[in-house]
Amino acid sequence: MKSTTSRTVSAASLALALGAAVAISAAPVMTAQAAENEKCFGVSLKGKNDCAAGAGTTCAGTAKTDYQGNAWKYVPTGTCTETASPTSPTGYGQLEAYKEKA
Amino acid sequence: MTLSLLADENSGAPALSSTLPLRAGIGLKSQHYRQILESQPQVGFFEVHAENYMVAGGPFHHYLQRIREHYPLSIHGVGLSIGAEHPLDEQHLDRLAALIERYQPQSFSEHLAWSSHGELFLNDLLPVAYNATTLTRVCEHIDRVQNRLQRPMLLENPSTYVEYASSTMDEASFISELIRRSGCGLLLDVNNVYVSCINHNWDALGYINALPLHAVGELHLAGFAEDRDSAGDRLLIDAHGAPVDDAVWRLYAQVLQLLGPTPTLIERDNDIPSLEVLVAEAQQAERQLALHRTPQRQALA
Amino acid sequence: MSDQHDFVAALLDPERDCPAELSSWNGADPSSRFAVYRNNVISSLVNALADSFPVVLQLVGDEFFRAMAQVHVHANPPRTRILAEYGEAFPAFIEGFPPASSLPYLADVARLEFLRIQAYHSADTAPLNAEQITTALSQPDRLDGMTLELHPSAAVLSSNFAIVSLWAAHQGEMAIAQVDPLRAEHALVLRNRLDVEVMGIRHGAALFIQALRTGQCFGEAAEQALAIDPEFDLSHLLAHLISTGALTGYRFAP
């Protein structure tokens, strides 16, 4: 099937784009940028499977979960409280404990 | 059955379940990858958890492959669930076989425990009741593993926090019988012996002496955490988050008296310290190993 | 029911009594010892989620995250033995979890974080080199119908929320107060050798990559992207894909 004729993007412009891409990516600026990226993205993950036991006899696992579909006592307290929120009068996230509307 | 399969066809002798050097090794942690390649620390081997490397590609394989070029390797499974009521997960066995094929480890070991139930994976090493029914089942599972992998495995004695009223055998007898029937080797976790003996008021040396010590292919050492049960008695948790306890070092010395030098792993899975701290702990084990290394044994090693 | 079935039911439901067949040498209540297993199952899985979703955790704080993750673990325990794969259902869970509804962007941030985990562990595939691309360029009349293969790690996430900025703000790259979370953003996730990169891309770039992913040809993908987003710079995106090793193969139409 030859659909090229109906394209608004010509074969020539595709070749131009790909040719320019090869030229840009070979330029030293790009390689320097890539090296820069490596430093700031070099977060190494941990292996998550292990054979150790954790917290002993007292921790979350034995507590009944607080969420029963209507009430929840925890309020987000992390960085989300610092995000701008256009809908709130203070400009910051207004967070309160979740309670299902009756 | 299993024994004949695993016997070396040329010599007729059973294949060794571990060919790790008679030295101390440490667990390989991703946060130490680069430093290990750069500094090449003096440790006898590295051990990895099989399931962490059951991923398609990326940094974990990149680094393990390079580290493997310089060190002997032990692959230690934590998800096969040999003690489960359900049959083994054949897909998981396939993945394990592929990993072993790729890295050619000197040892493969798994636990006397279960961690899955049907499709569910619980991510903990759960206790097995010790009776004739479970003995047959666990034995079948070990046979299946060894047949699929075409090599003998080491089975690790567990840390446990409860006992079953339905158990009719003690743990050491159960393990001895498993090893006799399946021809697998034993990974003697000295910390687990100590933890379980405190938790169930067993005699640690009595337990160790009741095991088939000729089958031991590797030792594990780790730190435990301490808690109390509802009666107020000590309940030790196999937390791998602290240095090896003095009591476990003493038990290790007694084990070496019985066994002679044996490959020994320092395990740490929580609160991972710097590489130097782990290497220093391995060197502490190496000093103990050296005390038991006669010139004749050195020649053999 | 079997022994292990009862054991598992009690592990996952703190309201249930521990299995009756358990005992202790000193007469201590077996449930005080069974608690070690309960805690380890739940806390180790909550920890696994905390490792996989560090930005979600920072956004809501440790206490909220752990409580939410615990509800998820009880409702959706792993069906994989490989914990790197656990958490795939967590974003959808967050989306349907009413107490998190005050943060409508949270689920998409979780989706972005899970794509990063998948990219990190994805298969290693060799990138196209300049010579191979030059070979393709030598047949310009076949470029339109050419299909392009992307590195297995490459993925695009289009969101109604500022997921890239929210993510970047937690890598120390911008201040969180400068982020308007309600602005739509498109993320490109890919592993460049050993490091997973997250980059904000234009709508057109997102459409182009998604079209390639679904097997559409070069010309078709470019046309679709430019129709929606005329300012989309095709050569710039291609340069990025080439320099990060994200282009791994091409095939001319027969």
Side-chain angles (χ1 to χ4, degrees):
Chain A
M1 188 185 79
K2 271 271 177 191
S3 57
T4 326
T5 46
S6 61
R7 290 255 194 273
T8 50
V9 184
S10 68
S13 59
L14 290 176
L16 206 62
L18 191 54
V22 175
I24 300 170
S25 62
V29 182
M30 202 70 182
T31 0
Q33 264 180 0
E36 213 38 49
N37 278 348
E38 209 158 304
K39 276 178 214 143
C40 59
F41 290 107
V43 187
S44 113
L45 293 184
K46 285 188 274 182
K48 297 186 188 75
N49 281 89
D50 66 43
C51 55
T57 58
T58 45
C59 94
T62 43
K64 295 172 178 43
T65 57
D66 304 279
Y67 181 62
Q68 303 296 336
N70 49 19
W72 177 255
K73 67 179 176 182
Y74 303 102
V75 179
T77 54
T79 51
C80 66
T81 59
E82 299 159 37
T83 58
S85 169
T87 54
S88 96
T90 59
Y92 288 90
Q94 296 282 291
L95 299 164
E96 43 192 59
Y98 170 78
K99 183 98 179 102
E100 192 179 51
K101 311 263 183 314
Chain B
M1 33 167 205
T2 317
L3 274 173
S4 61
L5 171 99
L6 295 166
D8 185 316
E9 279 178 21
N10 298 318
S11 68
L16 283 174
S17 36
S18 161
T19 55
L20 290 170
L22 305 180
R23 293 192 55 194
I26 62 175
L28 178 61
K29 297 294 160 191
S30 61
Q31 49 270 63
H32 299 148
Y33 284 153
R34 288 180 199 198
Q35 197 186 346
I36 288 165
L37 285 176
E38 282 158 19
S39 67
Q40 309 247 338
Q42 291 293 314
V43 295
F45 63 96
F46 283 100
E47 184 161 290
V48 296
H49 295 143
E51 285 69 14
N52 286 333
Y53 293 85
M54 291 182 180
V55 292
F60 280 28
H61 286 295
H62 172 93
Y63 286 110
L64 180 56
Q65 194 175 322
R66 279 154 186 77
I67 290 166
R68 177 72 185 92
E69 286 164 13
H70 300 285
Y71 292 94
L73 179 70
S74 162
I75 292 187
H76 187 50
V78 298
L80 198 50
S81 204
I82 283 175
E85 287 169 356
H86 292 264
L88 294 178
D89 179 340
E90 288 293 327
Q91 267 192 325
H92 199 77
L93 264 180
D94 290 346
R95 288 190 288 257
L96 202 52
L99 197 67
I100 286 170
E101 176 64 28
R102 176 165 180 181
Y103 290 105
Q104 299 288 319
Q106 276 75 5
S107 171
F108 167 70
S109 51
E110 253 285 358
H111 298 83
L112 174 54
W114 56 288
S115 55
S116 67
H117 186 66
E119 288 215 307
L120 291 183
F121 178 62
L122 284 318
N123 193 39
D124 194 16
L125 298 168
L126 301 166
V128 174
Y130 302 133
N131 55 50
T133 312
T134 57
L135 183 65
T136 306
R137 188 171 69 216
V138 175
C139 219
E140 284 168 4
H141 287 174
I142 295 173
D143 281 353
R144 177 67 197 127
V145 174
Q146 297 188 133
N147 278 303
R148 177 66 185 85
L149 301 180
Q150 288 291 301
R151 62 186 285 158
M153 60 168 282
L154 299 178
L155 185 73
E156 179 179 335
N157 58 296
S159 284
T160 56
Y161 311 106
V162 294
E163 293 181 276
Y164 285 91
S166 57
S167 285
T168 57
M169 307 169 78
D170 63 70
E171 187 171 288
S173 307
F174 188 87
I175 291 173
S176 303
E177 192 56 21
L178 275 178
I179 288 170
R180 193 186 66 78
R181 291 197 198 176
S182 70
C184 73
L186 178 61
L187 193 178
L188 181 60
D189 187 315
V190 181
N191 182 60
N192 287 359
V193 172
Y194 186 75
V195 163
S196 290
C197 287
I198 294 291
N199 289 350
H200 308 306
N201 199 35
W202 303 337
D203 168 47
L205 272 184
Y207 175 100
I208 289 167
N209 277 305
L211 292 169
L213 295 177
H214 65 88
V216 173
E218 184 184 345
L219 301 173
H220 272 182
L221 295 173
F224 54 78
E226 188 146 358
D227 210 326
R228 297 267 162 188
D229 68 11
S230 67
D233 282 311
R234 290 174 85 197
L235 184 66
L236 304 187
I237 316 289
D238 183 31
H240 299 186
V244 177
D245 192 85
D246 285 344
V248 174
W249 280 119
R250 286 194 293 275
L251 191 55
Y252 174 61
Q254 291 175 299
V255 167
L256 291 184
Q257 287 283 354
L258 295 167
L259 290 180
T262 306
T264 302
L265 178 81
I266 303 292
E267 283 189 294
R268 187 76 72 94
D269 292 305
N270 290 312
D271 299 325
I272 309 287
S274 70
L275 181 62
E276 289 81 359
V277 169
L278 292 182
V279 171
E281 227 178 346
Q283 280 163 351
Q284 194 175 341
E286 293 249 312
R287 284 193 290 278
Q288 295 241 24
L289 287 169
L291 296 176
H292 297 275
R293 210 171 264 145
T294 64
Q296 195 188 2
R297 275 179 173 144
Q298 256 177 341
L300 281 170
Chain C
M1 274 299 152
S2 70
D3 292 352
Q4 292 186 354
H5 183 90
D6 289 346
F7 201 103
V8 170
L11 278 177
L12 294 177
D13 182 359
E15 313 257 348
R16 261 178 103 112
D17 291 336
C18 90
E21 63 197 326
L22 302 182
S23 65
S24 59
W25 68 277
N26 58 358
D29 179 359
S31 68
S32 72
R33 288 160 164 256
F34 185 70
V36 176
Y37 295 110
R38 258 183 183 148
N39 280 323
N40 195 43
V41 169
I42 302 303
S43 66
S44 71
L45 294 171
V46 167
N47 286 341
L49 292 173
D51 280 349
S52 293
F53 299 93
V55 175
V56 172
L57 185 149
Q58 289 174 71
L59 279 164
V60 299
D62 198 61
E63 191 184 50
F64 188 100
F65 182 91
R66 286 181 183 278
M68 176 168 72
Q70 198 188 326
V71 178
H72 178 65
V73 167
H74 277 117
N76 303 288
R79 282 166 199 280
T80 168
R81 296 163 194 239
I82 302 157
L83 284 187
E85 295 172 355
Y86 183 54
E88 190 160 23
F90 194 45
F93 168 83
I94 292 173
E95 200 159 53
F97 186 59
S101 59
S102 58
L103 304 173
Y105 51 79
L106 201 60
D108 277 353
V109 172
R111 287 190 177 94
L112 179 62
E113 295 203 277
F114 200 72
L115 284 179
R116 292 191 76 249
I117 305 280
Q118 289 179 311
Y120 191 84
H121 294 302
S122 64
D124 303 301
T125 309
L128 280 181
N129 58 37
E131 198 180 332
Q132 290 166 305
I133 299 171
T134 310
T135 309
L137 276 168
S138 67
Q139 304 181 61
D141 56 328
R142 300 185 76 184
L143 288 180
D144 182 276
M146 172 178 77
T147 50
L148 287 165
E149 283 156 33
L150 296 172
H151 191 271
S153 68
V156 161
L157 181 64
S158 291
S159 172
N160 291 323
F161 305 101
I163 47 169
V164 178
S165 302
L166 285 166
W167 188 84
H170 293 85
Q171 317 305 315
E173 289 174 26
M174 62 189 291
I176 183 93
Q178 289 168 359
V179 179
D180 170 8
L182 302 186
R183 202 173 55 107
E185 284 185 353
H186 307 271
L188 170 62
V189 176
L190 60 86
R191 194 178 76 232
N192 181 6
R193 277 166 289 176
L194 296 178
D195 295 317
V196 177
E197 300 177 354
V198 175
M199 200 173 86
I201 54 173
R202 295 185 61 91
H203 189 195
L207 288 171
F208 177 76
I209 293 169
Q210 276 160 337
L212 293 184
R213 264 277 181 251
T214 57
Q216 298 193 56
C217 66
F218 186 31
E220 180 66 31
E223 181 159 281
Q224 280 180 15
L226 286 163
I228 302 289
D229 181 1
E231 285 170 58
F232 158 54
D233 184 341
L234 178 59
S235 50
H236 194 257
L237 177 71
L238 288 170
H240 181 74
L241 295 178
I242 292 168
S243 66
T244 53
L247 283 190
T248 54
Y250 64 83
R251 197 171 306 154
F252 286 129

